[in-house]
Amino acid sequence: MAEGRLNIRDQDELVSHVVDDALAGRGGTVFTLNLDHLVKLRDEPRFRAAYQRASYVSADGAPVVTMAKGLGEPVDRVTGADLVLPLSRAAAASGVPIYLFGTADAVRDKAAARLMKEIPGLAIAGSESPPFGFDPEGEAARVAAERIAASGARICFVALGAPKQEYFANLAVCRVPGVMFICVGAALDFIAGETRRAPVVWQKAGFEWAWRLLQEPRRLVRRYTRSLLYFFNYRLRGADDRMLRVDRRRNGDGRQTGWFA
Ligand code: UDP
């Protein structure tokens, strides 16, 4: 069974599944798969376990889109950064309250203010930024999950970076019912205007990673070297079916997705 199990074809499909689930009181997790995740899936059993339970997995990186195409399944790129605005709009239209969890207090407040300004009627049931040493599977994480559920939020954006956000989302969905936890990386920093996202031409050309590397070379050089090696190895040896699969049947907890209907 592949761990990086893509089951989302495009953004509209994902937004509609998440809102439907939130309205129906179904909890779940949304992960967006990139090369760094594939490396972590290969190397870290806990990350694999979180992915195995994911409700929805989209292709976050251009290389993952290429790999899926190679498996005969075209998928659109759907990143965490691209998801927050459309999903918040759909949540507001359906009366679903959201929660912001992660990044720094000041950044989160700015992002919240911008969301409220751009999306009339959006209900932000709560928001918090855990301290940077936060253990995403510890007692503080359990208490945070309970706080999120008690706030009335049904969609929670988790902006802690990988693998922290996937660990937290996986713990939280097991701990509390009825909340969709969406892992969005640096999305709130982009919305707040704290970090500049790659220009659209870079994104479209599949070079968003290079932009990020230029912005944060120290933090990212090791990660991107491993990711590029993974990608070249994959291309040389052919599809590594153990790590990446486009799942035509079901998502993580057995619910059918629209794609397969
Ligand atoms: N972050 C956080 N707590 C942590 C580590 C990271 O809130 O302990 C936030 C950080 O401020 C940024 C986001 O997580 O907003 C990292 O997003 P990014 O997409 O860079 O994550 P990665 O690429 O590392 O998965």
Side-chain angles (χ1 to χ4, degrees):
M1 178 65 182
E3 272 74 37
R5 197 178 23 76
L6 292 173
N7 61 5
I8 287 297
R9 197 193 284 280
D10 59 35
Q11 183 171 283
D12 288 349
E13 183 193 29
L14 182 53
V15 167
S16 111
H17 282 315
V18 171
V19 172
D20 285 353
D21 287 353
L23 284 170
R26 285 192 291 264
T29 55
V30 175
F31 298 166
T32 68
L33 183 69
N34 61 26
L35 278 183
D36 176 48
H37 290 196
L38 283 166
V39 173
K40 289 183 168 68
L41 284 168
R42 185 190 62 199
D43 299 342
E44 294 174 25
R46 277 162 61 222
F47 200 60
R48 279 204 291 278
Y51 252 91
Q52 273 163 356
R53 277 199 287 265
S55 309
Y56 303 116
V57 179
S58 70
D60 182 295
V64 175
V65 171
T66 305
M67 289 156 90
K69 205 170 163 196
L71 294 172
E73 289 289 348
V75 293
D76 283 357
R77 191 170 172 229
V78 183
T79 71
D82 289 320
L83 259 181
V84 177
L85 277 167
L87 193 44
S88 298
R89 278 196 197 98
S94 304
V96 173
I98 68 163
Y99 202 99
L100 306 180
F101 188 79
T103 194
D105 284 325
V107 178
R108 202 196 66 236
D109 285 347
K110 266 198 207 169
R114 185 171 157 213
L115 287 172
M116 297 289 282
K117 191 168 162 226
E118 289 205 5
I119 309 174
L122 178 67
I124 301 185
S127 73
E128 62 185 284
S129 301
F132 262 60
F134 174 72
D135 173 358
E137 295 173 309
E139 186 52 28
R142 287 189 192 94
V143 174
E146 279 159 16
R147 217 166 24 241
I148 293 166
S151 75
R154 290 297 166 256
I155 292 176
C156 175
F157 292 110
V158 185
L160 298 172
K164 251 186 190 174
Q165 59 192 16
E166 287 78 13
Y167 289 154
F168 175 73
N170 186 48
L171 169 130
V173 81
C174 296
R175 180 84 184 181
V176 297
V179 182
M180 291 296 297
F181 291 90
I182 324 296
C183 295
V184 295
L188 301 183
D189 304 56
F190 296 138
I191 291 171
E194 282 301 304
T195 309
R196 210 179 135 215
R197 200 170 167 201
V200 176
V201 273
W202 287 57
Q203 292 178 37
K204 290 210 165 133
F207 282 105
E208 185 156 17
W209 62 271
W211 173 270
R212 293 200 66 184
L213 183 59
L214 289 172
Q215 310 263 306
E216 294 184 85
R218 275 167 174 244
R219 183 170 84 94
L220 296 177
V221 72
R222 194 163 162 265
R223 178 197 295 187
Y224 284 149
T225 305
R226 286 194 315 171
S227 297
L228 282 175
L229 285 174
Y230 184 98
F231 187 59
F232 289 136
N233 200 30
Y234 183 96
R235 300 292 293 209
L236 279 176
R237 296 199 180 173
D240 178 357
D241 188 53
R242 282 180 310 116
M243 288 304 151
L244 177 71
R245 179 164 302 166
V246 185
D247 188 334
R248 292 167 220 233
R249 288 160 302 145
R250 291 170 186 283
N251 63 21
D253 52 13
R255 294 196 296 271
Q256 289 282 345
T257 73
W259 185 354
F260 314 119

